[in-house]
Amino acid sequence: MNFKKCKNLLLIIVLLVTSIFINAQPQRPKTVKLGDFDAHDPVMIKQDSTFYLFLTGGGMSKSTDLENWTNLKRVPSKLEWVIDDIISGYRGGFWAPDIQFLNDTYYLYYSPSAFAKNTSAIGVMTNKTLNQDSPDYKWEDQGMILQSIPGRDFWNAIDANVYFERAWGGKSTGWLSFGSFWGGIKLVKLDSTMTALAEPQEWYTIAKQERTFGMPDTDPGDGTIEAPFIYRRHQYYYLFVSVDYCCRGLDSTYETIVGRSRDIRVPYFDKDGVPMYAGGGTYVAGPNEDYAGIGHCAVYDFDGKTWFISHGYDKKDRGRSKLVVKEITWDRAEWYQQSFLRKRLT
């Protein structure tokens, strides 16, 4: 073998060994800045000094500054309890999670579903920590809480949000809000495990939009409302919901509206006194110079500030769904004050 052939063979061997070595190394988690971070249906929680973000599909990320986000190993999303009688042809995955913490346990509520059908369910899984480096990190699926069945239920079991009403003595009451289109947003009481409905069952309709009369019950309808989130501030419970249409890229028209109540159950009124069960809702965020639509929000208090978390359809990036994180402030009447979120197009 001549020198040139030996040199070429050696080069091939070096490249092959280098490739094997690189591929064998653990891949570093990808860190993405806020403005470039793809997200859909985001919810958040803080453990110690770290913020953890959960997304539709099982995505999980972390940040220490709400600006730079590092992708983590995904939450398990192959749900063994979802059989064909619940969702025909189910192949895994879930929508619109909600993360909560109570009595040293993290609860992740989620919804397996089928698009534009109310063949849906809400389940929950639990964990002792969100730190994936901890030996205690393990998601344990607690199974289904409730399901919606076409022809039986005039509501859709997706977009779960749970509010834990804490009381003296360590006792807490869990309230599950959920819903999309059909008959609007429902609220139901949970039992002490926070993984099942309380008996006897206690249900309320807390928000809905007008729906054209005569549409079949199997049709989602045009009463566009979904993604409830209940936030407590002083004496009021605030109910944030999304209206109009998501998931259409640059053609999305998503908006966020809000009402409030002194009772978590009903009624919630907007700033003009219109009840949300009768189509009310004060505008919070939506189409503006940067986004085709903004919705599916969550609202949290972190370190003395109130944060609005949502996804927006980025006009500068072909309508891709991006994470939106903005501080909101409050006026003396306990309504949020105007911000960039209110740059509504006319």
Side-chain angles (χ1 to χ4, degrees), residues 41-112:
D41 307 332
V43 291
M44 191 183 299
I45 201 165
K46 190 177 184 182
Q47 177 182 308
D48 301 324
S49 60
T50 302
F51 300 95
Y52 289 93
L53 188 76
F54 296 83
L55 306 170
T56 277
M60 182 177 176
S61 303
K62 68 177 181 179
S63 173
T64 56
D65 58 8
L66 296 177
E67 288 286 340
N68 299 284
W69 291 92
T70 301
N71 293 326
L72 301 173
K73 183 178 179 181
R74 301 175 74 84
V75 175
S77 60
K78 180 61 177 177
L79 309 172
E80 300 298 332
W81 58 267
V82 184
I83 59 177
D84 267 5
D85 287 347
I86 298 175
I87 302 173
S88 179
Y90 175 75
R91 296 183 179 179
F94 59 74
W95 297 352
D98 184 46
I99 184 70
Q100 301 291 343
F101 181 72
L102 182 70
N103 297 334
D104 300 320
T105 300
Y106 290 93
Y107 294 80
L108 186 70
Y109 298 87
Y110 57 83
S111 302

Side-chain angles (χ1 to χ4, degrees), residues 276-345:
M276 293 188 76
Y277 63 71
T282 297
Y283 181 86
V284 176
N288 60 33
E289 289 84 352
D290 300 312
Y291 299 101
I294 296 176
H296 206 114
C297 82
V299 179
Y300 304 103
D301 290 325
F302 294 131
D303 305 322
K305 296 181 179 180
T306 304
W307 296 94
F308 176 92
I309 315 297
S310 68
H311 70 253
Y313 298 96
D314 191 350
K315 287 184 175 181
K316 298 176 183 178
D317 194 7
R318 299 166 294 166
R320 289 175 63 181
S321 181
K322 300 293 183 64
L323 177 65
V324 176
V325 178
K326 290 291 178 181
E327 182 185 355
I328 57 176
T329 55
W330 304 86
D331 63 20
R332 292 186 177 182
E334 295 298 330
W335 290 102
Y336 69 91
Q337 296 193 62
Q338 294 186 9
S339 68
F340 108 103
L341 297 171
R342 289 185 58 84
K343 291 181 182 177
R344 195 173 190 177
L345 298 182

Side-chain angles (χ1 to χ4, degrees), residues 206-210 224-225 239-241 243 256-260 268-283:
I206 55 176
K208 58 184 176 180
Q209 293 284 296
E210 184 177 0
T224 60
I225 189 168
L239 173 62
F240 293 83
V241 297
V243 295
T256 302
I257 60 175
V258 68
R260 69 185 187 187
Y268 289 85
F269 294 97
D270 67 17
K271 206 170 184 178
D272 295 323
V274 180
M276 293 188 76
Y277 63 71
T282 297
Y283 181 86

Side-chain angles (χ1 to χ4, degrees), residues 16-41:
L16 180 62
V17 171
T18 301
S19 176
I20 293 172
F21 176 78
I22 291 174
N23 290 331
Q25 299 306 301
Q27 297 296 308
R28 291 183 177 180
K30 183 180 180 182
T31 299
V32 184
K33 288 190 176 296
L34 177 62
D36 299 320
F37 190 86
D38 291 345
H40 206 79
D41 307 332

Side-chain angles (χ1 to χ4, degrees), residues 216-227:
D217 286 358
T218 54
D219 192 310
D222 51 3
T224 60
I225 189 168
E226 60 187 11

